[in-house]
Amino acid sequence: MTTQEPNQAERKTAEIANGYSTVYEFVTEYLSQVYSRQVTDISDTVWCREWWQHPEAAIRLHALWQAWEHYRRQGGPGISVWFLDHADPHMAKLFDPRGPFKYCNVRNGHKSMLDPLPLSDPPGPNQQMFDNPDVERVWQKGRPPV
């Protein structure tokens, strides 16, 4: 019995398929293995086992996964670019003891103690300044006249 070569559509599907099907799978099977760190209670590097409970962390890790998928397909120096331009800056923010995992630790686990940033509504007519911004006018302010 002979095996047939995959047709062009099958090859294309295989080329664009994600390496990982979810951000959870990406973090569990790849990122946590690549970024080995000491994350004890006395360390200056923090991590939360329940990272998905932190909106900032979940968004950053999702962005890292999407960027990794993009650069993985490019080949060549793509993964190096991913580390330098994406992974290292995001992971530094996540590992920072003042970051989203500030109150979490390996002994006591997840602590949801950080509140969203405090906000106030602008008074009266100032609220309208945020409705339907004139993007073209704003962009033109920085451009020299033609």
Side-chain angles (χ1 to χ4, degrees):
M1 188 162 121
T2 61
T3 57
Q4 292 181 336
E5 288 258 331
N7 67 30
Q8 186 176 1
E10 290 171 332
R11 281 195 303 270
K12 187 81 167 160
T13 301
E15 288 173 11
I16 62 172
N18 283 345
Y20 295 96
S21 59
T22 65
V23 64
Y24 180 81
E25 185 179 294
F26 170 74
V27 171
T28 303
E29 295 180 17
Y30 181 76
L31 198 67
S32 66
Q33 306 302 310
V34 170
Y35 275 93
S36 299
R37 298 290 188 277
Q38 179 179 346
V39 287
T40 63
D41 295 346
I42 56 172
S43 173
D44 62 348
T45 303
V46 296
W47 180 254
C48 183
R49 295 173 193 259
E50 297 178 40
W51 56 265
W52 60 88
Q53 301 273 13
H54 302 267
E56 178 185 351
I59 292 167
R60 284 181 180 277
L61 292 168
H62 190 273
L64 278 180
W65 170 48
Q66 294 299 301
W68 183 86
E69 293 290 355
H70 170 77
Y71 285 111
R72 174 188 68 84
R73 290 184 200 111
Q74 283 189 343
I79 292 300
S80 179
V81 172
W82 176 79
F83 269 108
L84 295 173
D85 291 352
H86 300 274
D88 289 344
H90 282 297
M91 294 305 288
K93 293 291 186 185
L94 294 175
F95 287 145
D96 189 323
R98 298 167 299 168
F101 304 142
K102 179 176 182 171
Y103 295 108
C104 301
N105 61 51
V106 293
R107 184 178 319 163
N108 299 317
H110 171 72
K111 298 286 184 211
S112 185
M113 296 174 65
L114 293 174
D115 292 324
L117 296 175
L119 302 172
S120 296
D121 288 335
N126 289 334
Q127 288 179 344
Q128 294 173 354
M129 68 190 265
F130 298 104
D131 292 343
N132 299 319
D134 184 355
V135 176
E136 286 300 316
R137 182 180 56 78
V138 172
W139 278 105
Q140 292 301 325
K141 282 185 176 183
R143 294 184 185 159
V146 183

